[in-house]
Amino acid sequence: MAAAAEIESFDKLVFNALSGPELEEFNRIYYGRSNHHALPIKVSTTECAKENNFEVAAYDFPAIKEEFRSSRVVRVGIIQHSIVESTDKPIVEQRQGIFEKIKRIIVAAANEGVNILCLQECWNMPFAFCTREKQPWCEFAESAHEGPSTQFLREFAVKYGMVFISPILERDESHGDTIWNTAVIIDDQGKIIGKHRKNHIPRVGDFNESTYYMEGNTGHPVFETKFGKIAVNICYGRHHPLNWLLFGINGAEIVFNPSATVAGLSEHLWAVEARNAAIANSYFTCSINRVGSEKFPNEFTSGDGKPAHKEFGHFYGSSYVTAPDGCRTPGMSRVNDGLLIAQMDLNLCRQAKDKWGFTMTQRLELYAKSLNNVVKSDYERQIINKN
């Protein structure tokens, strides 16, 4: 349950305060289009969502019809959710509770024809990295190929012909039992296409994640699936523009940003960064954040001077999708579980490039030369002093 001080949704605040032409004008200015292009939801999906206490919404991002290319329409789903069992329960019970919750939302996504489904960062566990305790939290770590979370999702991938992005805590037994923050990509036939490990690790306040894992070693991979070219920019990587850039250079059409971030830290950045990335790189971005408050058995301290505490803070959800032209969906709830569906024509990626010319006018050769100089130990900043 959300704390009493938590508002349900910024978007609903606006919707309740404005109407008619004023609301349309706000939508045009803030969201990029006066009409959200909401898609109808099946009655059976709505009933499933009501029965299982999650929200569901769907929006369309059409592209201009072309003469030489057929439309490339894909339905993408993103899930935000809270944990189920308290953090003092056995690991198996905590994980199984989440599995049962997610199963119901996956069924709803399949009922709506979703082709690609992305879960939130470390979706199968509480975000326990604030505690800096190795036990029992390291026991959630699992094999990217054979682990219980991967096996759980592979069954649904085969059953529904759906691609899954599964961000987990990975245990790499082949390399000294090293732990990574990893997104596993499962194709529509249940096969593991590959994985991507988190490139940027936060050391801010309660986010002391380098206690558990370090910066990833997989570069900026783009995974070619039946439904399009996808990439995963895990959580803290959204603060780094060059991280977004490299996924675009490698050909991504949709970049997912599975996250876990709390109110009072970077919420004012949340609606900005992934949207900016979609615009700058002419691809779709899908931002996913967990919801709820997670309380841990033992007190922990952090780098921001706060007294010892047991709660991490409120994960504010607000998941959303942005198109290459900068238009975006309303955000999901700040307090409730939810499934957000975006129907997107991937032809819009090239159409945005043609319109704005951002990739054509970027100066990669200039940036590369400058960055090559920057990393040298004798680098001197290019500052012109007044004589």
Side-chain angles (χ1 to χ4, degrees), residues 11 23-37 60-61 275 279 321-330 348 355-356:
D11 303 83
L23 179 59
E24 289 185 2
E25 187 65 358
F26 176 87
N27 290 344
R28 182 189 68 82
I29 296 170
Y30 182 75
Y31 297 104
R33 51 188 187 178
S34 58
N35 185 319
H36 292 312
H37 292 259
D60 188 27
F61 290 103
R275 192 176 190 183
I279 297 166
V321 173
T322 303
D325 60 4
C327 297
R328 56 155 287 182
T329 69
L348 189 57
K355 179 177 181 179
W356 294 108

Side-chain angles (χ1 to χ4, degrees), residues 21-288:
E22 283 189 340
L23 179 59
E24 289 185 2
E25 187 65 358
F26 176 87
N27 290 344
R28 182 189 68 82
I29 296 170
Y30 182 75
Y31 297 104
R33 51 188 187 178
S34 58
N35 185 319
H36 292 312
H37 292 259
L39 294 169
I41 303 294
K42 294 178 181 178
V43 174
S44 56
T45 302
T46 302
E47 291 176 347
C48 175
K50 184 177 181 180
E51 180 180 345
N52 293 289
N53 298 312
F54 66 89
E55 298 181 2
V56 61
Y59 304 96
D60 188 27
F61 290 103
I64 298 171
K65 186 176 181 180
E66 300 182 16
E67 291 189 40
F68 300 110
R69 290 196 304 170
S70 299
S71 296
R72 300 177 60 222
V73 177
V74 58
R75 281 204 169 196
V76 169
I78 56 179
I79 297 175
Q80 64 176 44
H81 66 90
S82 58
I83 60 174
V84 178
E85 302 292 344
S86 62
T87 57
D88 59 355
K89 292 289 182 67
I91 298 299
V92 172
E93 289 185 25
Q94 292 187 54
R95 186 171 57 206
Q96 190 60 38
I98 295 173
F99 280 7
E100 292 300 318
K101 171 184 280 195
I102 292 301
K103 179 192 300 183
R104 302 181 188 105
I105 304 179
I106 290 173
V107 170
N111 195 44
E112 292 299 321
V114 167
N115 306 119
I116 305 172
L117 190 61
C118 185
L119 301 168
Q120 65 198 25
E121 183 183 21
C122 294
W123 68 272
N124 56 356
M125 63 178 290
F127 208 73
F129 313 121
C130 54
T131 70
R132 302 190 300 285
E133 298 170 337
K134 295 304 180 73
Q135 293 294 325
W137 314 119
C138 286
E139 293 187 48
F140 277 103
E142 61 184 78
S143 165
H145 286 79
E146 305 299 334
S149 301
T150 298
Q151 298 308 313
F152 170 76
L153 293 176
R154 287 180 69 183
E155 292 184 16
F156 293 106
V158 173
K159 183 176 182 179
Y160 297 121
M162 192 185 297
V163 172
F164 282 91
I165 299 99
S166 175
I168 62 169
L169 192 62
E170 179 195 3
R171 171 78 68 183
D172 186 1
E173 294 182 357
S174 297
H175 296 88
D177 276 333
T178 303
I179 291 176
W180 305 93
N181 186 320
T182 300
V184 182
I185 314 301
I186 306 169
D187 75 7
D188 57 299
Q189 298 179 19
K191 298 178 181 178
I192 311 303
I193 301 178
K195 60 190 177 185
H196 174 57
R197 292 166 173 163
K198 189 173 182 177
N199 278 336
H200 299 278
I201 308 301
R203 299 161 180 87
V204 181
D206 285 344
F207 289 87
N208 299 292
E209 298 173 32
S210 59
T211 304
Y212 298 87
Y213 43 79
M214 299 299 286
E215 284 76 10
N217 58 2
T218 52
H220 296 85
V222 171
F223 304 94
E224 187 162 11
T225 74
K226 176 180 178 180
F227 306 108
K229 298 181 179 69
I230 64 175
V232 192
N233 184 3
I234 303 174
C235 198
Y236 197 68
R238 72 179 181 276
H239 304 309
H240 296 270
L242 291 181
N243 209 43
W244 291 105
L245 172 66
L246 266 295
F247 290 120
I249 287 175
N250 284 332
E253 296 169 307
I254 312 168
V255 180
F256 295 88
N257 179 225
S259 299
T261 185
V262 293
L265 182 63
S266 61
E267 190 167 3
H268 61 296
L269 306 177
W270 177 252
V272 177
E273 291 168 310
R275 192 176 190 183
N276 281 350
I279 297 166
N281 299 288
S282 301
Y283 51 46
F284 288 90
T285 59
C286 303
S287 302
I288 311 104

Side-chain angles (χ1 to χ4, degrees), residues 327-349:
C327 297
R328 56 155 287 182
T329 69
M332 295 294 285
S333 170
R334 295 182 74 258
V335 296
N336 299 319
D337 295 348
L339 167 65
L340 178 60
I341 299 168
Q343 178 172 280
M344 49 185 73
D345 187 340
L346 298 183
N347 283 354
L348 189 57
C349 297

